[in-house]
Amino acid sequence: MADITKDMTIGEALRTNPEIAPVLLGIGMHCLGCPSAQGETLEEAAMVHGIEVDELMQQIAAV
């Protein structure tokens, strides 16, 4: 499976591994299918939600 990077959009990351959805939902990213998910990177989303991007990436890597 391809690696997910912080520079990927939420949509790209979900297409790469749909099983990360519970991680994203668990930190408050409830709009996984909305238009912003197609243009917002994981790093940008983490910042908006007050999460350290490295912490988010560790959670995603653990899936």
Side-chain angles (χ1 to χ4, degrees):
M1 182 168 296
D3 287 334
I4 295 175
T5 68
K6 65 183 179 181
D7 299 320
M8 288 180 146
T9 65
I10 296 167
E12 289 171 328
L14 286 167
R15 284 189 294 278
T16 300
N17 184 355
E19 294 180 11
I20 68 166
V23 171
L24 301 178
L25 291 169
I27 62 169
M29 293 183 193
H30 298 141
C31 191
L32 301 182
C34 71
S36 64
Q38 301 310 312
E40 188 172 61
T41 66
L42 290 170
E43 184 171 31
E44 292 165 338
M47 184 177 61
V48 167
H49 290 278
I51 310 279
E52 290 291 328
V53 71
D54 292 334
E55 179 183 330
L56 172 60
M57 298 312 296
Q58 287 175 357
Q59 290 180 34
I60 287 172
V63 172

